[in-house]
Every structure is written in structure tokens, then in C-alpha cells.
Amino acid sequence: MNRRFALKATALAAVAAFAAACAPMDDGDDIVDIASSNPDFSTLVAAVSAAGLVDTLKSDGPFTVFAPTNAAFEKLPAGTVETLLKPENKDQLVSILTYHVVPAAVTSDQLAGKRLSVTTVEGSKVHVDGTDGVTVDGATVTAADIIATNGVIHVIDSVILP
């Protein structure tokens, strides 16, 4: 009797595990969701919205975003962010923001010990140095490998310019 119960319980567990594996999974957060949920990225999120890039960064990707913090934006000359957020400067803002995006998912372990020039979505190349930590065009990666459903975010301490 115990043996039959054990077999039924095992079969039931196997069916439950199979059903769970086949069930749709929670997609998780994309790059925009992650940035929007972190108050340290409020300037970046405002800029992405003003540039009309929200839908792009919510798409499938994959993308690698070198994401400047609010403190990074504060290092720019006074009035720069406010000027860039004006509708008449949208093209310049798009250029700057897309310079922070690589059209592939690149994690820090892929950068470790290497020096690379990588083409951005903007079209120019950024210089990545992974030989002593990771820097991107001189900006230091302060937090790496924030994994999103459509790519990866690396937090940087400065805004990089094309």
C-alpha cells in the first residue's frame, strides 16, 4: 500500500513539475522598468522619455546600456540637462542617449581583461577598458550586470558624449 502511494505521489509531482515548466513565466523587468524603479536614474528616465526612446528600450533587444546616474548628469555644465530636454534639442538628446547603448547583451565577464572598441546604437564606437575594473570612454562602471529581460545595464559615473 505504501509503495502504491509513493508511486502515485511521485507521478503527481512529475506532472506538477512538467506543468510548471510549461506554464508561461513572468517576463520580469525590461531595461526601462528597472531604470524607472530606481530613483538614481530619474534624470536618465526623463531623458529617455523626452527623446522618445522608451518603446525602443522596452523592445526585445538585446541591449547593453551604460546608464549614467543622476550624479553623473549633475557633472555636466549647469543647464545642459535642461537644454537637452527641450523639444528643439531632441535629435542631440537621442544621439547622446543612443551613444550609451550597444545593440547586444554584454556582461562584465565578457569585458574582463580586455580593451575593446564597440559600436553603439548611435553609430560611433565607445572604448571599453576591462583591464582594471571597467571604464567606458573614461566613465567608470560602478555597478555591473543588472540583468533585464531585454539586456543588461552597467551603471556609470559620468555621461559619455559622442
Side-chain angles (χ1 to χ4, degrees):
M1 187 77 160
N2 286 338
R3 186 175 177 178
R4 189 178 313 160
F5 176 77
L7 285 173
K8 285 182 180 178
T10 302
L12 184 59
V15 169
F18 179 76
C22 293
M25 297 178 69
D26 181 3
D27 286 341
D29 291 333
D30 60 42
I31 289 167
V32 174
D33 294 335
I34 291 171
S36 296
S37 69
N38 186 330
D40 288 335
F41 293 127
S42 61
T43 304
L44 177 62
V45 170
V48 166
S49 294
L53 295 172
V54 171
D55 289 341
T56 300
L57 291 175
K58 288 183 87 52
S59 69
D60 291 342
F63 303 107
T64 297
V65 176
F66 297 107
T69 61
N70 294 345
F73 279 101
E74 290 170 8
K75 291 181 181 180
L76 294 171
T80 301
V81 173
E82 294 77 13
T83 300
L84 288 170
L85 293 176
K86 292 180 179 177
E88 61 268 23
N89 297 319
K90 182 178 177 180
D91 290 343
Q92 185 179 8
L93 181 60
V94 168
S95 177
I96 291 169
L97 292 174
T98 56
Y99 188 67
H100 288 78
V101 181
V102 174
V106 182
T107 57
S108 61
D109 62 328
Q110 295 170 301
L111 302 172
K114 298 177 184 169
R115 289 187 175 141
L116 309 164
S117 287
V118 184
T119 303
T120 67
V121 171
E122 182 265 343
S124 299
K125 291 185 181 281
V126 292
H127 301 287
V128 180
D129 186 343
T131 58
D132 184 22
V134 177
T135 60
V136 181
D137 275 4
T140 300
V141 173
T142 59
D145 300 335
I146 301 169
I147 305 299
T149 57
N150 61 344
V152 62
I153 299 169
H154 301 294
V155 181
I156 57 174
D157 68 352
S158 299
V159 175
I160 56 177
L161 300 171

PDB file of all heavy atoms in Angstrom, residues 94-133:
ATOM      1  N   VAL A  94      18.797  62.343 -28.461  1.00  0.00           N
ATOM      2  CA  VAL A  94      18.765  60.973 -28.986  1.00  0.00           C
ATOM      3  C   VAL A  94      20.181  60.496 -29.287  1.00  0.00           C
ATOM      4  O   VAL A  94      20.566  59.366 -28.942  1.00  0.00           O
ATOM      5  CB  VAL A  94      17.866  60.872 -30.243  1.00  0.00           C
ATOM      6  CG1 VAL A  94      18.064  59.541 -30.957  1.00  0.00           C
ATOM      7  CG2 VAL A  94      16.400  61.071 -29.871  1.00  0.00           C
ATOM      8  N   SER A  95      20.984  61.348 -29.887  1.00  0.00           N
ATOM      9  CA  SER A  95      22.364  60.991 -30.220  1.00  0.00           C
ATOM     10  C   SER A  95      23.164  60.652 -28.959  1.00  0.00           C
ATOM     11  O   SER A  95      23.878  59.637 -28.914  1.00  0.00           O
ATOM     12  CB  SER A  95      23.021  62.149 -30.978  1.00  0.00           C
ATOM     13  OG  SER A  95      24.364  61.857 -31.248  1.00  0.00           O
ATOM     14  N   ILE A  96      23.042  61.470 -27.940  1.00  0.00           N
ATOM     15  CA  ILE A  96      23.772  61.227 -26.691  1.00  0.00           C
ATOM     16  C   ILE A  96      23.296  59.943 -26.027  1.00  0.00           C
ATOM     17  O   ILE A  96      24.107  59.112 -25.598  1.00  0.00           O
ATOM     18  CB  ILE A  96      23.638  62.428 -25.737  1.00  0.00           C
ATOM     19  CG1 ILE A  96      24.398  63.629 -26.314  1.00  0.00           C
ATOM     20  CG2 ILE A  96      24.135  62.079 -24.331  1.00  0.00           C
ATOM     21  CD1 ILE A  96      24.114  64.942 -25.602  1.00  0.00           C
ATOM     22  N   LEU A  97      21.995  59.764 -25.934  1.00  0.00           N
ATOM     23  CA  LEU A  97      21.468  58.579 -25.251  1.00  0.00           C
ATOM     24  C   LEU A  97      21.794  57.287 -25.997  1.00  0.00           C
ATOM     25  O   LEU A  97      22.164  56.287 -25.380  1.00  0.00           O
ATOM     26  CB  LEU A  97      19.960  58.710 -25.043  1.00  0.00           C
ATOM     27  CG  LEU A  97      19.538  59.797 -24.056  1.00  0.00           C
ATOM     28  CD1 LEU A  97      18.020  59.923 -24.048  1.00  0.00           C
ATOM     29  CD2 LEU A  97      20.073  59.525 -22.657  1.00  0.00           C
ATOM     30  N   THR A  98      21.674  57.302 -27.319  1.00  0.00           N
ATOM     31  CA  THR A  98      21.954  56.077 -28.077  1.00  0.00           C
ATOM     32  C   THR A  98      23.450  55.761 -28.110  1.00  0.00           C
ATOM     33  O   THR A  98      23.840  54.637 -28.406  1.00  0.00           O
ATOM     34  CB  THR A  98      21.366  56.135 -29.501  1.00  0.00           C
ATOM     35  OG1 THR A  98      21.871  57.289 -30.181  1.00  0.00           O
ATOM     36  CG2 THR A  98      19.844  56.157 -29.465  1.00  0.00           C
ATOM     37  N   TYR A  99      24.287  56.744 -27.777  1.00  0.00           N
ATOM     38  CA  TYR A  99      25.726  56.518 -27.622  1.00  0.00           C
ATOM     39  C   TYR A  99      26.007  55.680 -26.374  1.00  0.00           C
ATOM     40  O   TYR A  99      27.054  55.064 -26.251  1.00  0.00           O
ATOM     41  CB  TYR A  99      26.444  57.864 -27.547  1.00  0.00           C
ATOM     42  CG  TYR A  99      27.953  57.777 -27.567  1.00  0.00           C
ATOM     43  CD1 TYR A  99      28.638  57.330 -28.701  1.00  0.00           C
ATOM     44  CD2 TYR A  99      28.711  58.166 -26.464  1.00  0.00           C
ATOM     45  CE1 TYR A  99      30.035  57.268 -28.724  1.00  0.00           C
ATOM     46  CE2 TYR A  99      30.098  58.118 -26.483  1.00  0.00           C
ATOM     47  CZ  TYR A  99      30.751  57.660 -27.617  1.00  0.00           C
ATOM     48  OH  TYR A  99      32.125  57.598 -27.641  1.00  0.00           O
ATOM     49  N   HIS A 100      25.057  55.627 -25.463  1.00  0.00           N
ATOM     50  CA  HIS A 100      25.177  54.842 -24.235  1.00  0.00           C
ATOM     51  C   HIS A 100      24.652  53.414 -24.405  1.00  0.00           C
ATOM     52  O   HIS A 100      24.619  52.652 -23.434  1.00  0.00           O
ATOM     53  CB  HIS A 100      24.405  55.516 -23.094  1.00  0.00           C
ATOM     54  CG  HIS A 100      25.051  56.762 -22.579  1.00  0.00           C
ATOM     55  ND1 HIS A 100      24.973  57.964 -23.245  1.00  0.00           N
ATOM     56  CD2 HIS A 100      25.788  56.989 -21.468  1.00  0.00           C
ATOM     57  CE1 HIS A 100      25.633  58.883 -22.551  1.00  0.00           C
ATOM     58  NE2 HIS A 100      26.141  58.314 -21.475  1.00  0.00           N
ATOM     59  N   VAL A 101      24.223  53.049 -25.611  1.00  0.00           N
ATOM     60  CA  VAL A 101      23.582  51.750 -25.838  1.00  0.00           C
ATOM     61  C   VAL A 101      24.335  50.959 -26.901  1.00  0.00           C
ATOM     62  O   VAL A 101      24.626  51.464 -27.983  1.00  0.00           O
ATOM     63  CB  VAL A 101      22.109  51.936 -26.278  1.00  0.00           C
ATOM     64  CG1 VAL A 101      21.432  50.576 -26.487  1.00  0.00           C
ATOM     65  CG2 VAL A 101      21.333  52.769 -25.259  1.00  0.00           C
ATOM     66  N   VAL A 102      24.606  49.707 -26.579  1.00  0.00           N
ATOM     67  CA  VAL A 102      25.236  48.774 -27.519  1.00  0.00           C
ATOM     68  C   VAL A 102      24.168  47.747 -27.905  1.00  0.00           C
ATOM     69  O   VAL A 102      23.460  47.230 -27.031  1.00  0.00           O
ATOM     70  CB  VAL A 102      26.454  48.073 -26.871  1.00  0.00           C
ATOM     71  CG1 VAL A 102      27.029  47.005 -27.776  1.00  0.00           C
ATOM     72  CG2 VAL A 102      27.517  49.110 -26.515  1.00  0.00           C
ATOM     73  N   PRO A 103      24.030  47.442 -29.206  1.00  0.00           N
ATOM     74  CA  PRO A 103      22.978  46.512 -29.648  1.00  0.00           C
ATOM     75  C   PRO A 103      23.350  45.036 -29.448  1.00  0.00           C
ATOM     76  O   PRO A 103      23.346  44.251 -30.385  1.00  0.00           O
ATOM     77  CB  PRO A 103      22.816  46.869 -31.125  1.00  0.00           C
ATOM     78  CG  PRO A 103      24.165  47.324 -31.544  1.00  0.00           C
ATOM     79  CD  PRO A 103      24.748  48.021 -30.349  1.00  0.00           C
ATOM     80  N   ALA A 104      23.652  44.673 -28.218  1.00  0.00           N
ATOM     81  CA  ALA A 104      23.971  43.292 -27.839  1.00  0.00           C
ATOM     82  C   ALA A 104      24.017  43.258 -26.319  1.00  0.00           C
ATOM     83  O   ALA A 104      24.218  44.293 -25.680  1.00  0.00           O
ATOM     84  CB  ALA A 104      25.321  42.862 -28.411  1.00  0.00           C
ATOM     85  N   ALA A 105      23.827  42.089 -25.740  1.00  0.00           N
ATOM     86  CA  ALA A 105      23.947  41.946 -24.291  1.00  0.00           C
ATOM     87  C   ALA A 105      25.385  41.577 -23.957  1.00  0.00           C
ATOM     88  O   ALA A 105      25.860  40.517 -24.353  1.00  0.00           O
ATOM     89  CB  ALA A 105      22.980  40.881 -23.779  1.00  0.00           C
ATOM     90  N   VAL A 106      26.072  42.472 -23.254  1.00  0.00           N
ATOM     91  CA  VAL A 106      27.474  42.254 -22.900  1.00  0.00           C
ATOM     92  C   VAL A 106      27.599  42.346 -21.390  1.00  0.00           C
ATOM     93  O   VAL A 106      27.302  43.390 -20.795  1.00  0.00           O
ATOM     94  CB  VAL A 106      28.389  43.309 -23.572  1.00  0.00           C
ATOM     95  CG1 VAL A 106      29.845  43.034 -23.242  1.00  0.00           C
ATOM     96  CG2 VAL A 106      28.169  43.340 -25.077  1.00  0.00           C
ATOM     97  N   THR A 107      28.052  41.269 -20.776  1.00  0.00           N
ATOM     98  CA  THR A 107      28.227  41.248 -19.331  1.00  0.00           C
ATOM     99  C   THR A 107      29.680  41.535 -18.969  1.00  0.00           C
ATOM    100  O   THR A 107      30.570  41.453 -19.809  1.00  0.00           O
ATOM    101  CB  THR A 107      27.793  39.887 -18.750  1.00  0.00           C
ATOM    102  OG1 THR A 107      28.550  38.859 -19.396  1.00  0.00           O
ATOM    103  CG2 THR A 107      26.298  39.654 -18.951  1.00  0.00           C
ATOM    104  N   SER A 108      29.907  41.851 -17.716  1.00  0.00           N
ATOM    105  CA  SER A 108      31.245  42.242 -17.282  1.00  0.00           C
ATOM    106  C   SER A 108      32.270  41.126 -17.463  1.00  0.00           C
ATOM    107  O   SER A 108      33.437  41.410 -17.743  1.00  0.00           O
ATOM    108  CB  SER A 108      31.221  42.705 -15.825  1.00  0.00           C
ATOM    109  OG  SER A 108      30.800  41.665 -14.979  1.00  0.00           O
ATOM    110  N   ASP A 109      31.852  39.877 -17.349  1.00  0.00           N
ATOM    111  CA  ASP A 109      32.817  38.782 -17.541  1.00  0.00           C
ATOM    112  C   ASP A 109      33.312  38.728 -18.988  1.00  0.00           C
ATOM    113  O   ASP A 109      34.415  38.268 -19.250  1.00  0.00           O
ATOM    114  CB  ASP A 109      32.254  37.434 -17.093  1.00  0.00           C
ATOM    115  CG  ASP A 109      31.027  36.997 -17.874  1.00  0.00           C
ATOM    116  OD1 ASP A 109      30.246  37.859 -18.311  1.00  0.00           O
ATOM    117  OD2 ASP A 109      30.846  35.774 -18.049  1.00  0.00           O
ATOM    118  N   GLN A 110      32.518  39.242 -19.928  1.00  0.00           N
ATOM    119  CA  GLN A 110      32.947  39.297 -21.329  1.00  0.00           C
ATOM    120  C   GLN A 110      33.925  40.446 -21.576  1.00  0.00           C
ATOM    121  O   GLN A 110      34.609  40.469 -22.598  1.00  0.00           O
ATOM    122  CB  GLN A 110      31.735  39.442 -22.253  1.00  0.00           C
ATOM    123  CG  GLN A 110      30.808  38.235 -22.219  1.00  0.00           C
ATOM    124  CD  GLN A 110      29.509  38.515 -22.939  1.00  0.00           C
ATOM    125  OE1 GLN A 110      28.781  39.438 -22.590  1.00  0.00           O
ATOM    126  NE2 GLN A 110      29.220  37.726 -23.968  1.00  0.00           N
ATOM    127  N   LEU A 111      33.975  41.393 -20.637  1.00  0.00           N
ATOM    128  CA  LEU A 111      34.839  42.559 -20.777  1.00  0.00           C
ATOM    129  C   LEU A 111      36.127  42.425 -19.971  1.00  0.00           C
ATOM    130  O   LEU A 111      37.101  43.124 -20.242  1.00  0.00           O
ATOM    131  CB  LEU A 111      34.094  43.818 -20.314  1.00  0.00           C
ATOM    132  CG  LEU A 111      32.788  44.135 -21.028  1.00  0.00           C
ATOM    133  CD1 LEU A 111      32.073  45.287 -20.348  1.00  0.00           C
ATOM    134  CD2 LEU A 111      33.040  44.436 -22.492  1.00  0.00           C
ATOM    135  N   ALA A 112      36.117  41.550 -18.987  1.00  0.00           N
ATOM    136  CA  ALA A 112      37.247  41.429 -18.062  1.00  0.00           C
ATOM    137  C   ALA A 112      38.553  41.154 -18.799  1.00  0.00           C
ATOM    138  O   ALA A 112      38.651  40.252 -19.630  1.00  0.00           O
ATOM    139  CB  ALA A 112      36.972  40.327 -17.045  1.00  0.00           C
ATOM    140  N   GLY A 113      39.547  41.990 -18.502  1.00  0.00           N
ATOM    141  CA  GLY A 113      40.877  41.813 -19.065  1.00  0.00           C
ATOM    142  C   GLY A 113      41.031  42.254 -20.504  1.00  0.00           C
ATOM    143  O   GLY A 113      42.082  42.055 -21.099  1.00  0.00           O
ATOM    144  N   LYS A 114      40.014  42.876 -21.070  1.00  0.00           N
ATOM    145  CA  LYS A 114      40.052  43.240 -22.495  1.00  0.00           C
ATOM    146  C   LYS A 114      39.937  44.748 -22.690  1.00  0.00           C
ATOM    147  O   LYS A 114      39.368  45.454 -21.863  1.00  0.00           O
ATOM    148  CB  LYS A 114      38.899  42.566 -23.244  1.00  0.00           C
ATOM    149  CG  LYS A 114      38.956  41.059 -23.204  1.00  0.00           C
ATOM    150  CD  LYS A 114      37.764  40.462 -23.903  1.00  0.00           C
ATOM    151  CE  LYS A 114      37.791  38.942 -23.766  1.00  0.00           C
ATOM    152  NZ  LYS A 114      36.557  38.344 -24.196  1.00  0.00           N
ATOM    153  N   ARG A 115      40.447  45.183 -23.819  1.00  0.00           N
ATOM    154  CA  ARG A 115      40.234  46.539 -24.308  1.00  0.00           C
ATOM    155  C   ARG A 115      39.551  46.411 -25.659  1.00  0.00           C
ATOM    156  O   ARG A 115      40.054  45.718 -26.539  1.00  0.00           O
ATOM    157  CB  ARG A 115      41.554  47.284 -24.460  1.00  0.00           C
ATOM    158  CG  ARG A 115      42.172  47.641 -23.145  1.00  0.00           C
ATOM    159  CD  ARG A 115      43.390  48.521 -23.320  1.00  0.00           C
ATOM    160  NE  ARG A 115      43.860  48.904 -22.005  1.00  0.00           N
ATOM    161  CZ  ARG A 115      45.128  48.994 -21.677  1.00  0.00           C
ATOM    162  NH1 ARG A 115      46.067  48.749 -22.572  1.00  0.00           N
ATOM    163  NH2 ARG A 115      45.476  49.343 -20.467  1.00  0.00           N
ATOM    164  N   LEU A 116      38.401  47.067 -25.790  1.00  0.00           N
ATOM    165  CA  LEU A 116      37.599  46.925 -26.997  1.00  0.00           C
ATOM    166  C   LEU A 116      37.086  48.272 -27.481  1.00  0.00           C
ATOM    167  O   LEU A 116      36.914  49.191 -26.695  1.00  0.00           O
ATOM    168  CB  LEU A 116      36.365  46.047 -26.711  1.00  0.00           C
ATOM    169  CG  LEU A 116      36.554  44.704 -26.040  1.00  0.00           C
ATOM    170  CD1 LEU A 116      35.228  44.213 -25.503  1.00  0.00           C
ATOM    171  CD2 LEU A 116      37.112  43.719 -27.025  1.00  0.00           C
ATOM    172  N   SER A 117      36.797  48.348 -28.755  1.00  0.00           N
ATOM    173  CA  SER A 117      36.022  49.446 -29.319  1.00  0.00           C
ATOM    174  C   SER A 117      34.724  48.811 -29.812  1.00  0.00           C
ATOM    175  O   SER A 117      34.756  47.887 -30.625  1.00  0.00           O
ATOM    176  CB  SER A 117      36.761  50.104 -30.482  1.00  0.00           C
ATOM    177  OG  SER A 117      37.836  50.862 -30.004  1.00  0.00           O
ATOM    178  N   VAL A 118      33.621  49.303 -29.296  1.00  0.00           N
ATOM    179  CA  VAL A 118      32.326  48.695 -29.577  1.00  0.00           C
ATOM    180  C   VAL A 118      31.417  49.730 -30.227  1.00  0.00           C
ATOM    181  O   VAL A 118      31.321  50.866 -29.753  1.00  0.00           O
ATOM    182  CB  VAL A 118      31.678  48.187 -28.269  1.00  0.00           C
ATOM    183  CG1 VAL A 118      30.378  47.473 -28.533  1.00  0.00           C
ATOM    184  CG2 VAL A 118      32.638  47.286 -27.500  1.00  0.00           C
ATOM    185  N   THR A 119      30.745  49.349 -31.297  1.00  0.00           N
ATOM    186  CA  THR A 119      29.837  50.264 -31.990  1.00  0.00           C
ATOM    187  C   THR A 119      28.532  50.391 -31.210  1.00  0.00           C
ATOM    188  O   THR A 119      27.919  49.402 -30.816  1.00  0.00           O
ATOM    189  CB  THR A 119      29.552  49.760 -33.421  1.00  0.00           C
ATOM    190  OG1 THR A 119      30.797  49.627 -34.112  1.00  0.00           O
ATOM    191  CG2 THR A 119      28.668  50.746 -34.173  1.00  0.00           C
ATOM    192  N   THR A 120      28.108  51.623 -30.998  1.00  0.00           N
ATOM    193  CA  THR A 120      26.872  51.905 -30.268  1.00  0.00           C
ATOM    194  C   THR A 120      25.697  52.010 -31.230  1.00  0.00           C
ATOM    195  O   THR A 120      25.871  52.053 -32.455  1.00  0.00           O
ATOM    196  CB  THR A 120      26.996  53.237 -29.506  1.00  0.00           C
ATOM    197  OG1 THR A 120      27.079  54.306 -30.456  1.00  0.00           O
ATOM    198  CG2 THR A 120      28.204  53.242 -28.573  1.00  0.00           C
ATOM    199  N   VAL A 121      24.509  52.093 -30.685  1.00  0.00           N
ATOM    200  CA  VAL A 121      23.307  52.297 -31.492  1.00  0.00           C
ATOM    201  C   VAL A 121      23.399  53.637 -32.229  1.00  0.00           C
ATOM    202  O   VAL A 121      22.917  53.763 -33.353  1.00  0.00           O
ATOM    203  CB  VAL A 121      22.041  52.221 -30.609  1.00  0.00           C
ATOM    204  CG1 VAL A 121      20.801  52.653 -31.373  1.00  0.00           C
ATOM    205  CG2 VAL A 121      21.866  50.817 -30.039  1.00  0.00           C
ATOM    206  N   GLU A 122      24.061  54.608 -31.648  1.00  0.00           N
ATOM    207  CA  GLU A 122      24.246  55.922 -32.274  1.00  0.00           C
ATOM    208  C   GLU A 122      25.102  55.826 -33.533  1.00  0.00           C
ATOM    209  O   GLU A 122      24.987  56.639 -34.433  1.00  0.00           O
ATOM    210  CB  GLU A 122      24.882  56.879 -31.240  1.00  0.00           C
ATOM    211  CG  GLU A 122      25.092  58.294 -31.717  1.00  0.00           C
ATOM    212  CD  GLU A 122      26.495  58.520 -32.267  1.00  0.00           C
ATOM    213  OE1 GLU A 122      27.398  57.700 -32.003  1.00  0.00           O
ATOM    214  OE2 GLU A 122      26.685  59.516 -32.979  1.00  0.00           O
ATOM    215  N   GLY A 123      25.973  54.802 -33.593  1.00  0.00           N
ATOM    216  CA  GLY A 123      26.802  54.591 -34.774  1.00  0.00           C
ATOM    217  C   GLY A 123      28.288  54.798 -34.549  1.00  0.00           C
ATOM    218  O   GLY A 123      29.105  54.359 -35.346  1.00  0.00           O
ATOM    219  N   SER A 124      28.644  55.489 -33.491  1.00  0.00           N
ATOM    220  CA  SER A 124      30.054  55.687 -33.160  1.00  0.00           C
ATOM    221  C   SER A 124      30.530  54.540 -32.276  1.00  0.00           C
ATOM    222  O   SER A 124      29.738  53.749 -31.776  1.00  0.00           O
ATOM    223  CB  SER A 124      30.242  57.007 -32.405  1.00  0.00           C
ATOM    224  OG  SER A 124      29.830  58.093 -33.181  1.00  0.00           O
ATOM    225  N   LYS A 125      31.831  54.500 -32.055  1.00  0.00           N
ATOM    226  CA  LYS A 125      32.410  53.471 -31.193  1.00  0.00           C
ATOM    227  C   LYS A 125      32.714  54.052 -29.819  1.00  0.00           C
ATOM    228  O   LYS A 125      33.151  55.194 -29.703  1.00  0.00           O
ATOM    229  CB  LYS A 125      33.693  52.920 -31.804  1.00  0.00           C
ATOM    230  CG  LYS A 125      33.454  52.109 -33.063  1.00  0.00           C
ATOM    231  CD  LYS A 125      34.745  51.478 -33.549  1.00  0.00           C
ATOM    232  CE  LYS A 125      34.528  50.690 -34.810  1.00  0.00           C
ATOM    233  NZ  LYS A 125      33.938  49.390 -34.598  1.00  0.00           N
ATOM    234  N   VAL A 126      32.455  53.245 -28.784  1.00  0.00           N
ATOM    235  CA  VAL A 126      32.900  53.573 -27.435  1.00  0.00           C
ATOM    236  C   VAL A 126      34.096  52.690 -27.133  1.00  0.00           C
ATOM    237  O   VAL A 126      34.195  51.566 -27.637  1.00  0.00           O
ATOM    238  CB  VAL A 126      31.811  53.365 -26.358  1.00  0.00           C
ATOM    239  CG1 VAL A 126      30.693  54.359 -26.497  1.00  0.00           C
ATOM    240  CG2 VAL A 126      31.281  51.960 -26.343  1.00  0.00           C
ATOM    241  N   HIS A 127      35.000  53.209 -26.330  1.00  0.00           N
ATOM    242  CA  HIS A 127      36.189  52.457 -25.948  1.00  0.00           C
ATOM    243  C   HIS A 127      35.964  51.881 -24.554  1.00  0.00           C
ATOM    244  O   HIS A 127      35.743  52.631 -23.598  1.00  0.00           O
ATOM    245  CB  HIS A 127      37.420  53.352 -25.999  1.00  0.00           C
ATOM    246  CG  HIS A 127      37.627  53.933 -27.370  1.00  0.00           C
ATOM    247  ND1 HIS A 127      38.074  53.172 -28.428  1.00  0.00           N
ATOM    248  CD2 HIS A 127      37.399  55.171 -27.866  1.00  0.00           C
ATOM    249  CE1 HIS A 127      38.132  53.922 -29.511  1.00  0.00           C
ATOM    250  NE2 HIS A 127      37.717  55.141 -29.201  1.00  0.00           N
ATOM    251  N   VAL A 128      35.992  50.561 -24.483  1.00  0.00           N
ATOM    252  CA  VAL A 128      35.761  49.855 -23.229  1.00  0.00           C
ATOM    253  C   VAL A 128      37.087  49.266 -22.769  1.00  0.00           C
ATOM    254  O   VAL A 128      37.769  48.584 -23.528  1.00  0.00           O
ATOM    255  CB  VAL A 128      34.716  48.736 -23.413  1.00  0.00           C
ATOM    256  CG1 VAL A 128      34.479  48.001 -22.101  1.00  0.00           C
ATOM    257  CG2 VAL A 128      33.406  49.302 -23.957  1.00  0.00           C
ATOM    258  N   ASP A 129      37.446  49.555 -21.518  1.00  0.00           N
ATOM    259  CA  ASP A 129      38.683  49.034 -20.942  1.00  0.00           C
ATOM    260  C   ASP A 129      38.319  48.216 -19.713  1.00  0.00           C
ATOM    261  O   ASP A 129      37.873  48.758 -18.701  1.00  0.00           O
ATOM    262  CB  ASP A 129      39.617  50.188 -20.573  1.00  0.00           C
ATOM    263  CG  ASP A 129      40.982  49.708 -20.100  1.00  0.00           C
ATOM    264  OD1 ASP A 129      41.136  48.518 -19.747  1.00  0.00           O
ATOM    265  OD2 ASP A 129      41.909  50.541 -20.078  1.00  0.00           O
ATOM    266  N   GLY A 130      38.509  46.903 -19.828  1.00  0.00           N
ATOM    267  CA  GLY A 130      38.207  45.996 -18.723  1.00  0.00           C
ATOM    268  C   GLY A 130      39.449  45.454 -18.048  1.00  0.00           C
ATOM    269  O   GLY A 130      39.401  44.407 -17.419  1.00  0.00           O
ATOM    270  N   THR A 131      40.564  46.181 -18.171  1.00  0.00           N
ATOM    271  CA  THR A 131      41.818  45.671 -17.612  1.00  0.00           C
ATOM    272  C   THR A 131      42.000  46.001 -16.134  1.00  0.00           C
ATOM    273  O   THR A 131      42.765  45.344 -15.446  1.00  0.00           O
ATOM    274  CB  THR A 131      43.038  46.201 -18.400  1.00  0.00           C
ATOM    275  OG1 THR A 131      43.032  47.628 -18.370  1.00  0.00           O
ATOM    276  CG2 THR A 131      43.002  45.703 -19.844  1.00  0.00           C
ATOM    277  N   ASP A 132      41.324  47.029 -15.638  1.00  0.00           N
ATOM    278  CA  ASP A 132      41.401  47.398 -14.224  1.00  0.00           C
ATOM    279  C   ASP A 132      40.027  47.910 -13.828  1.00  0.00           C
ATOM    280  O   ASP A 132      39.769  49.109 -13.846  1.00  0.00           O
ATOM    281  CB  ASP A 132      42.474  48.470 -14.019  1.00  0.00           C
ATOM    282  CG  ASP A 132      42.668  48.823 -12.549  1.00  0.00           C
ATOM    283  OD1 ASP A 132      42.311  48.011 -11.679  1.00  0.00           O
ATOM    284  OD2 ASP A 132      43.180  49.926 -12.277  1.00  0.00           O
ATOM    285  N   GLY A 133      39.116  46.991 -13.507  1.00  0.00           N
ATOM    286  CA  GLY A 133      37.714  47.358 -13.408  1.00  0.00           C
ATOM    287  C   GLY A 133      37.208  47.511 -14.829  1.00  0.00           C
ATOM    288  O   GLY A 133      37.773  46.938 -15.755  1.00  0.00           O
TER     289      GLY A 133
END
